[in-house]
Every structure is written in structure tokens, then in C-alpha cells.
Amino acid sequence: MKAFSSKAESLLLGPSLGAYTESIELGPRSTSASVALSVDVGSSEEDSAPDLDEFSGLSPYEKKRMKNIRENANFFASLQLAESAARLRGMIKKSEPPESKRKRPKKKENEIGCRRSMRLLKVDPLGVSLPASPTQPTLVEEENPLLPPGPLEMIPENQGDSSELFKASLKTWAEMSQTSNEKTKKELSSIKGYKANLRGMVISEATVRKVTSGAITSVALHPSEVRTLVAAGAKSGQVGLWDLTQQSEDGMYVFYPHSQPVSCLSFSPTNPAHLLSLSYDGTLRCGDFSSAVFEEVYRNETNSLSSFDFLDDASSLLVGHWDGHLSLVDRRTPGTSYEKFFNSSLEKIRTVHVHPLSRQYFITAGLRDVHVYDARCLKSKGSQPLISLTEHSKSIASAYFSPVTGNRVVTTCADCKLRVFDSSSISSQFPLLSTIRHNTFTGRWLTRFQAVWDPKQEDCFVVGSMAQPRRVEVFHETGKNVHSLWGECLVSVCSLSAVHPTRYILAGGNSSGRLHVFMHQETRVLE
């Protein structure tokens, strides 16, 4: 009986059951289909199934069930669900996006992009290609050619037919002599008189002059008490001399003894008629006013030079290299200077400064550290410092001993701090005396600040400032601000400063080639 029922059920269902199955997969059943499938099984007696002879052996319940199955199958067949499902599949397939990826158009060869300069494309306005221009030399060869070795004649670049006037100026400069520091030592006792003299220093239009064509990278003041002569080294390799005693344009002369920035300038302590200049191009020259020649003191074409200072009686020089090396140069040897090459423990050397009393000691400012060395203990490899100052967290611009006793050291760091150390005892570590908050972030286009001591009051130092209005700050070693030098004629940042050893004169250089000179008035205020 069960086998026969299963056979009959399969015969009745046929394709209509398949259509019903597809309708179930496509979506929910319709209301009419649900009603047809929910026929009450209890009413099977009144619904006898005629024409079901093939099911004569079934019970009334089975007959009623088979009748319902056949009616449902016929109903779903009348709905034509299979055809509707086929049409929906066709619609779905047609609406699907193509699986192939978007192809980028191929770039045509020699295609000229939009908004391109025809001059840069080497095309004239008519569209015809221009002939190829001759190859240009490299920028270093064109703008910074290495000057030939040997002496260079001292010929001013900015003076035309005034050779006689220049010769007269050279003669005057050669006859100027340096005075003793006895007067200076007496004035170191009172800070009150020092402040009063600073208040008398003024700047005017007559004491502001553009001396070089590029940024000033070094400044020096002649120690004469008769005339005011300022020297400025420039980024372009120029050296400018400005004699403020001559109240005219004729008092300023520009020379080209170097091909790269002049990072250090100094008048000789034994012969003020000699102006020594050091440059990145690896040369150290001496401008002799008596012979009108820039003599070549030292030359190193493999290493770039950063700073120098005098040893002993100025016949020997200590030269610092950017790569951390040191050279001892003896100027007394005929011909080329004798050199001893040493290796320091620093990766870079920015400044070199010799102790004013104990000349065998010198201090160097490096990338992060400040080291003190003994010149007698230098080695060709692995020279170790006597003392290391490691309190700095960023790049150091300079480190200098105080000029009279050497009992203090002032450093300028990129972490916006000026630090003063007690260097009275070389045999032990230098204790930190004071830390001064000072904005030293000059940026890319301005020369970095360097704090320098005032020889007239060696417990005070001067440094440029980023504050408005523009000024030059004077600080005491304790960190107190002593005075600010400013005026209507000072409208730019003076990154570097030089102080006269005996007179109240300060010269500041900016990054456009201008010198700003503060000078004391005729009446000096003394103790």
C-alpha cells in the first residue's frame, strides 16, 4: 500500500512539482498557494474522488490526499512559475556588469601634456623643435670654481678707478697698531658702569651698510682705538672691509679670496695688519695690508674647513675640519705651511677656540657634544678629550672660553638654550652655572646665532635675537639680561656679532650682507 501511494504521488507531481520547488527557491509562496495547501483533512467524507479507479485500493484518507496533491499540482502548473523563473534568470544575467577590468588608454609616444611650457619643451610658438642647447657645466663648477693655489692680489671688486684711494687706505690700515688691555682690565670691576656705557651705544643710518652680496657668515673688528674697521666674510666667498672713519662710499671694499662661504675671520693678535680668513673651500688665507696680497697659509682640497684659532704667538694655527679632523699648522716654515693631521672624537667640528691663558688647551663644538682637548696629547687616530660637556640635546653652533681668564664657557645650542659652564679648573668636569632660554631657531635662510663674550666685561656675552623689534641681547653669566641694543635702523636679524676689545663698538651681520654697527656717543660714562 505504501509503495503504491508513493508511485501515485510521483505520477501526479511530475513537472508541476518541479515548478513549485523553483517557486520556493525564488521567493515566498503566494497567498492563494498557501490556502490551497492548507486543506482540512477532516472533510474527506463529502469529497469523494471520482475517476480515481487507479487508486481503488486506497483508503478514503489516502484518496483525499492524492486528490489534494493533484489539484495543487494543476494549480501551480496554471501559474506558469517555471517560465517566470526562466525569464527572471535571463533578466538577472543581462543586468550583471561585465567582469573585465577597465583598460587604461595607452599613452602615446612623444605626447605633450597639457599646460606645459613650450620653452621647457624646447619648442617655439610655431611648434618647431628648437636646436639643442650646449651642455652647461655643473653648478659647483660654474658658481664655485676652486681658486688657484698661491697668493692672490688684493684687488677690490667694487672699486673702479680709485686705486690710489685704496692704496692710501691700505697704508693707513697697515700703520694701525693694537693697544694693550690694561685699560680694559680696570673696567671689569663694575657692572654698573658697563651698563651705563651700553646705554650710550646707538645705531644710525651712517653705521648701516651693505658690504657683501651674500649672507654674512663671519665678522671681525680691528682692535685699533683710532679708526673703526670692520671685516665681514660672506657665503659667496667674499671678504668685505668697511672703514667707518671715512664717511663716504669709498670706505668700503669687497674682495674674492675664496670660492665658498667664509666661516671664520680674525685679525692677528701679534700683527693687526694681517686679516686671516678660513673658507669651506679648504683654504686659509692671510690678507696682508702692507703688501696688498692674500697669502695662502693652508690648503686642503679633500676636507672642508670650519674654524681656526691662534696658538702660542700666532705663528701656529689650530684648524678644525667639518668631518671632525684637526690640523696644527706652522706658519714659520718657508713655502707651504707644515701640517700635522689629527683625528678628534667628534663627528663634526663647528668651532675651535684656544684657552686665553693655558694655550695648550682648546675647546671644540661638535654635533651634540662639547669637548676640551690638550694639544700636546693629540694623536693621529683616537684622540680622547680631557672633558666632555654632554648637556646639549641638539646641534651646537659654538663654544667659547671667556676672553680674559678663560674661567667660563658659553655655548649656543639649537634647543633654544644658552649655557654657561664653570671652566676655572681644567682638571675636572665643568659644572653648569646657568641655562638661559633664548630663541635660536633661525630657520634655513638665516645664519645661526653664536654667543660671544665681551672682552671689556668678560662675565657678559652678546647674542643675536629673533624678538621684535629687532635687537642684540647682552646677558650676564648668571642668566640675567643686562641690556638690549636696538634702534630704528635695525630692522633685520643680526645673527653674528663682534665686539671691540677696548671701545664700546659692536658690529652685527645679517643674512643679506648688511653690517649694523652700534657705537658709543662722544661722551663716555665711566665709573
Side-chain angles (χ1 to χ4, degrees), residues 212-219 232-236 261-264 280 306 322 350-351 396-398 400 412-414 438-451 463-466 470 492-497 508-515:
T212 62
S213 59
I216 293 178
T217 52
S218 55
V219 183
K235 187 177 181 180
S236 58
V262 181
S263 58
C264 193
Y280 288 3
S306 60
W322 277 110
R350 297 185 182 275
T351 60
I396 304 170
S398 62
Y400 296 111
T412 309
C413 185
H438 188 71
N439 184 6
T440 58
F441 185 72
T442 55
R444 179 181 179 183
W445 306 110
L446 299 182
T447 307
R448 297 182 65 180
F449 291 144
Q450 291 186 3
V463 64
S465 176
M466 297 293 294
R470 299 307 184 190
S492 59
V493 177
C494 287
S495 299
L496 302 176
S497 302
N510 69 1
S511 296
S512 64
R514 292 185 179 274
L515 281 175

Side-chain angles (χ1 to χ4, degrees), residues 102 107 143 159 166 239 304 306 336 406 415 510:
R102 179 183 177 184
K107 192 174 183 180
E143 295 186 358
Q159 298 291 339
F166 175 62
V239 172
S304 182
S306 60
T336 58
D415 60 1
N510 69 1

